[in-house]
Amino acid sequence: MKRLLLEGGGQRSVFTAGVLDFFMDKGITFDEVYGVSAGAMTATSYLSNDRGRAIEQMERFTGDKRYISLKNRVTKGSFFGWEYIFEEIPKKLLPMNFEAYRKNPATLYAGAYECETGKTVYFPLRDPEDKEDLKRLQASASLPYYSPFVEIDGKHYADGGIADPFALAAFKDDGAKTVIVLTQDRSYIKGKKRSSGMKYVYGKYPHLVHDSAMRSGRYNADRRIIFHLEEEGKIFLIIPGKPLKVSIKETDKNKLKEVYEEGYRAAEERYEALKEYLEEGE
């Protein structure tokens, strides 16, 4: 069993896109892929075997007001143009290989935060054309303030990074080979941000208010756990070698390309060690 865990981080996931393109170039596959938010969205092109598609989408469309804008928020209730992202782009403007995705033996799981309970639920996404699967993917990336929560079976779901930013809940100490891709370098420490507005806006979801306030502490604690698991040889980590010069809402094509290439190099530099890790015990 081989598992791949992908951090989110908005446009920082362009680093992940570089890693995944290297995996495609080398034929590196996994049985299960877990991602939250942008990590899950980037992984869709990996499962459809569309090399280069993820970086092309970021370069071509994230500066488009139909993709994310205040106009979307006013006219459609969300900064993200979900119909444009899930329908117009993959079916017309930058076609996805839907059939290859469906035939892929791997399963992609998108993590979404269940607002009523505070749990992170991992939904299997088996068909990128299925409307229910698209709802689950949208749920995983529905940031508070930026997008309305997604209702599924009577529950309301928000961005999966709120409580499980690295999909670490998917880690099992069962002998499976686990690879984790992070989008912040080893020196990074997440600073605490004020979240006083959460109680005012989302007061009917006390778990969400609490977990949002604890987010930076949980983020840093989970990174320490990941580094410890790496030291024990229980996971294989691919991580930026230096701070990424890209914001979570980056639209500069040159910066996006640079970070994408950093991701590709990071995977390339660790290829021999990764191959040894994945093959060990087979």
Side-chain angles (χ1 to χ4, degrees), residues 179-205:
V179 176
I180 302 181
V181 180
L182 301 187
T183 60
Q184 296 280 16
D185 71 291
R186 290 183 185 272
S187 68
Y188 180 77
I189 298 175
K190 194 175 187 68
K192 188 172 183 180
K193 294 182 179 180
R194 294 182 62 186
S195 58
S196 56
M198 290 293 296
K199 188 173 182 179
Y200 175 77
V201 179
Y202 300 111
K204 68 177 182 178
Y205 301 118

Side-chain angles (χ1 to χ4, degrees), residues 122-137:
Y122 280 88
F123 294 109
L125 306 180
R126 305 190 189 281
D127 186 348
E129 289 189 286
D130 180 79
K131 292 191 180 301
E132 292 304 310
D133 275 4
L134 289 176
K135 278 181 64 176
R136 297 174 185 121
L137 182 57

Side-chain angles (χ1 to χ4, degrees), residues 36-63:
V36 293
S37 194
M41 295 186 72
T42 303
T44 58
S45 292
Y46 175 56
L47 267 75
S48 66
N49 201 33
D50 282 312
R51 192 211 183 279
R53 185 179 181 280
I55 175 63
E56 184 175 351
Q57 177 167 323
M58 292 182 195
E59 288 181 320
R60 285 178 58 185
F61 302 116
T62 50

Side-chain angles (χ1 to χ4, degrees), residues 111-150:
Y113 181 86
E114 193 173 274
C115 298
E116 285 84 358
T117 66
K119 297 177 182 177
T120 303
V121 177
Y122 280 88
F123 294 109
L125 306 180
R126 305 190 189 281
D127 186 348
E129 289 189 286
D130 180 79
K131 292 191 180 301
E132 292 304 310
D133 275 4
L134 289 176
K135 278 181 64 176
R136 297 174 185 121
L137 182 57
Q138 178 182 334
S140 180
S142 290
L143 283 165
Y145 301 117
Y146 281 85
S147 182
F149 301 149
V150 177

Side-chain angles (χ1 to χ4, degrees), residues 65 69-76 78-79:
K65 294 187 183 301
S69 66
L70 179 59
K71 181 180 178 181
N72 284 340
R73 181 70 175 87
V74 172
T75 60
K76 300 179 180 180
S78 170
F79 279 96

Side-chain angles (χ1 to χ4, degrees), residues 200-218:
Y200 175 77
V201 179
Y202 300 111
K204 68 177 182 178
Y205 301 118
H207 290 288
L208 174 64
V209 174
H210 174 268
D211 289 338
S212 295
M214 301 296 292
R215 190 173 182 182
S216 60
R218 176 176 284 134

Side-chain angles (χ1 to χ4, degrees), residues 72-255:
N72 284 340
R73 181 70 175 87
V74 172
T75 60
K76 300 179 180 180
S78 170
F79 279 96
F80 300 104
W82 293 118
E83 185 175 349
Y84 181 68
I85 293 170
F86 289 147
E87 296 289 336
E88 190 78 8
I89 292 175
K91 292 182 179 180
K92 298 178 182 178
L93 303 177
L94 183 60
M96 174 183 282
N97 190 338
F98 296 114
E99 192 60 27
Y101 185 108
R102 286 188 283 265
K103 289 181 177 179
N104 195 321
T107 302
L108 171 61
Y109 296 87
Y113 181 86
E114 193 173 274
C115 298
E116 285 84 358
T117 66
K119 297 177 182 177
T120 303
V121 177
Y122 280 88
F123 294 109
L125 306 180
R126 305 190 189 281
D127 186 348
E129 289 189 286
D130 180 79
K131 292 191 180 301
E132 292 304 310
D133 275 4
L134 289 176
K135 278 181 64 176
R136 297 174 185 121
L137 182 57
Q138 178 182 334
S140 180
S142 290
L143 283 165
Y145 301 117
Y146 281 85
S147 182
F149 301 149
V150 177
E151 184 174 350
I152 301 172
D153 296 330
K155 299 290 187 180
H156 295 84
Y157 293 90
D159 190 285
I162 292 170
D164 193 20
F166 313 108
L168 191 56
F171 172 77
K172 299 180 181 68
D173 193 4
D174 57 1
K177 299 296 182 178
T178 302
V179 176
I180 302 181
V181 180
L182 301 187
T183 60
Q184 296 280 16
D185 71 291
R186 290 183 185 272
S187 68
Y188 180 77
I189 298 175
K190 194 175 187 68
K192 188 172 183 180
K193 294 182 179 180
R194 294 182 62 186
S195 58
S196 56
M198 290 293 296
K199 188 173 182 179
Y200 175 77
V201 179
Y202 300 111
K204 68 177 182 178
Y205 301 118
H207 290 288
L208 174 64
V209 174
H210 174 268
D211 289 338
S212 295
M214 301 296 292
R215 190 173 182 182
S216 60
R218 176 176 284 134
Y219 185 98
N220 295 329
D222 281 359
R223 276 172 57 95
R224 289 193 292 270
I225 292 171
I226 288 170
F227 295 148
H228 181 66
L229 290 172
E230 181 190 28
E231 289 176 0
E232 292 184 325
K234 292 181 178 179
I235 64 139
F236 189 95
L237 189 59
I238 297 179
I239 186 170
K242 58 184 179 181
L244 299 181
K245 297 178 181 180
V246 63
S247 72
I248 62 171
K249 296 181 285 187
E250 190 64 64
T251 58
D252 186 305
K253 294 181 180 181
N254 292 327
K255 289 183 179 180

